[in-house]
């Protein structure tokens, strides 16, 4: 004892395994339905990564990590190579640079842009087949999404960037699977990753947001390699009252205790699906953009007559969109007024629009100035998209005409999916843009 305190709670014979059993991570086989969800998301991310390779943040990150050492893992969209964990980081940064990559609801994370770069880089340590990587990817998603369920959206509402926090842990499990670690080693990898699982939503609108996704990918690789060499952590750190759940959320041990029973029954990819994003902006702008598309036909030839645009959304969505008058490209991706205006004017938002400074162009700029966004308390904070609390969009014209609509699920959500033709076209556009053909 020291200073009157007893020995740490994790010591002694009553230590239990963490909430994610290592044997599941080692042997779980994803269902056909889970694989069907994973395929389009992986294909989409293969376009997002090289498309973001020329972004300011990706170029700065590559330059910084080249100073730290050379390696053999490729930096996609360039001719450069880096050490394994550095390549995982910079490819995740590139894939998340324009906020076009997929996301999932229960954990509120962008799973593929962390998991895919980590697994691709890891293949330069231990060769893996496509089937191996798909299984590891599904395991990572399973960990991320069920941890999201357990810690609840309260974790995100507190200001933690769950793409960094939950996904550092999930990436450790996925990479551990791909490296063929045993169950105990995978559990230790996830425990070690928990000590680096941190990121903040207040960083949104800056380079730090995609960097945080990169940090999660790097952590996943490094902690799995540490565990492979025998490094250990305390598996209960994830749900311990003085660990991840207790310090970074509203601690409730029951959902963590229940996790082992839920894993793979069904697979989270099958149960929840993934949201494929049609536009390169924060997902919380997409319900309002979908609503704007619903009203666009009624105002397209009268845009100059719009005197007021009013938007209303749940408070924890509103807090993520602080830039009512954006001044930079990064801020515009987190601006509800800018994204609503762009959807009304052009019917969408592309990477080309974003690069051209769409928020500064007329009539988008004028519509931004007459848009007011308000928040309302979330009726059900357990749901990311509550169908009983849709986003509201109201437009007033000089003639005193008022038109309005609501949107419960954005275009691209499993409940409101893009058509197969549109999804394929979008993936193709990402790949063409990555090759400089757009």
């Amino acid at each position: 004892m020291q200073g009157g305190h007893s020995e740490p709670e994790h010591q002694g014979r009553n230590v239990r395994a963490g909430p994610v059993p290592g044997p599941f991570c080692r042997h779980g086989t994803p269902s056909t339905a889970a694989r069907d969800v994973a395929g389009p998301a992986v294909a989409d991310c293969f376009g997002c990564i090289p498309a973001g390779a020329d972004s300011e943040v990706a170029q700065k990150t590559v330059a910084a990590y080249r100073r730290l050492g050379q390696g053999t893992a490729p930096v996609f969209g360039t001719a450069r190579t880096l050490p394994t964990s550095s390549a995982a980081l910079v490819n995740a940064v590139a894939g998340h640079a324009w906020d076009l990559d997929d996301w999932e609801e229960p954990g509120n994370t962008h799973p593929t842009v962390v998991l895919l770069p980590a697994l691709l880089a890891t293949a330069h340590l231990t060769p893996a087949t496509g089937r191996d990587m798909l299984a590891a990817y599904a395991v990572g998603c399973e960990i991320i999404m069920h941890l999201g369920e357990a810690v609840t959206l309260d974790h995100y509402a507190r200001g933690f960037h769950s793409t960094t926090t939950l996904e550092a842990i999930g990436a450790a499990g996925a990479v551990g699977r791909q490296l063929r670690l045993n169950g105990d080693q995978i559990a230790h990898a996830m425990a070690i990753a928990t000590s680096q699982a941190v990121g903040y939503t207040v960083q949104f609108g800056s380079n730090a947001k995609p960097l945080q996704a990169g940090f999660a990918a790097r952590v996943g690789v490094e902690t799995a390699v540490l565990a492979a060499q025998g490094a250990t952590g305390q598996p209960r750190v994830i749900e311990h009252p003085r660990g991840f759940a207790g310090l970074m959320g509203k601690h409730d041990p029951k959902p963590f205790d229940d996790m082992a029973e839920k894993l793979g029954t069904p697979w989270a990819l099958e149960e929840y699906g993934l949201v494929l994003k049609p536009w390169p902006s924060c997902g919380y702008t997409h319900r309002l953009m979908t609503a704007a598309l619903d009203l666009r036909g009624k105002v397209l030839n009268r845009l100059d007559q719009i005197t007021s645009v009013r938007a209303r959304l749940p408070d924890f969505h509103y807090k993520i969109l602080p830039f009512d008058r954006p001044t930079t490209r990064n801020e515009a991706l987190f601006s509800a007024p800018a994204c609503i205006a762009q959807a009304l004017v052009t019917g969408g938002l592309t990477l080309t629009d974003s690069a051209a400074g769409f928020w500064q162009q007329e009539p988008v700029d004028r519509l931004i100035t007459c848009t007011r966004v308000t928040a309302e308390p979330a009726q059900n904070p357990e749901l990311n998209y509550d169908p009983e609390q849709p986003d509201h969009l109201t437009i007033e014209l000089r003639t005193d005409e008022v038109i309005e609509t609501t949107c419960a699920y954005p275009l691209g959500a499993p409940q409101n999916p893009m058509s197969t033709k549109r999804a394929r076209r979008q993936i193709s556009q990402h790949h063409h843009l990555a090759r400089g053909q757009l």
Side-chain angles (χ1 to χ4, degrees), residues 1-8 11:
M1 294 181 64
Q2 202 173 37
H5 294 287
S6 61
E7 292 296 318
Q11 294 184 6

Side-chain angles (χ1 to χ4, degrees), residues 375-388:
E376 60 184 3
Q379 296 174 8
N380 187 348
E382 301 298 314
L383 293 178
N384 213 327
Y385 287 141
D386 182 357
E388 301 300 320

Side-chain angles (χ1 to χ4, degrees), residues 292-309:
L293 294 185
D294 187 39
L295 299 183
R296 183 170 183 259
K298 300 177 181 179
V299 300
L300 183 58
N301 297 322
R302 300 184 289 168
L303 292 174
D304 60 334
Q305 298 181 35
I306 294 176
T307 59
S308 172
V309 179

Side-chain angles (χ1 to χ4, degrees), residues 156-202:
Y156 191 87
R158 287 171 183 249
F160 291 108
H161 185 196
S162 50
T163 293
T164 310
T165 58
L166 301 179
E167 293 203 31
I169 301 169
V175 173
R177 165 64 176 261
Q178 188 165 305
L179 289 177
R180 304 183 185 93
L181 305 189
N182 64 41
D184 288 343
Q185 290 172 318
I186 294 174
H188 285 303
M190 291 187 289
I192 299 168
T194 305
S195 291
Q196 297 187 69
V198 67
Y200 304 101
T201 59
V202 74

Side-chain angles (χ1 to χ4, degrees), residues 9-30:
E9 293 177 38
H10 60 253
Q11 294 184 6
R13 68 184 68 183
N14 294 322
V15 174
R16 295 187 295 153
V20 184
F24 170 83
C25 298
R26 179 70 180 86
H27 301 292
T29 302

Side-chain angles (χ1 to χ4, degrees), residues 88-156:
L89 184 151
V90 299
N91 286 326
V93 169
H96 199 46
W98 305 132
D99 230 278
L100 187 53
D101 47 296
D102 63 70
W103 68 283
E104 50 80 24
E105 286 196 58
N108 212 17
T109 76
H110 297 262
T112 310
V113 82
V114 170
L115 295 175
L116 183 61
L119 295 172
L120 289 171
T122 300
H124 289 264
L125 297 177
T126 299
T129 66
R131 186 180 296 273
D132 293 335
M133 295 181 68
L134 180 59
Y137 170 85
V139 164
C141 287
E142 193 76 0
I143 296 166
I144 291 162
M145 295 165 84
H146 283 301
L147 278 178
E149 279 185 333
V151 79
T152 77
L153 290 172
D154 174 73
H155 174 69
Y156 191 87

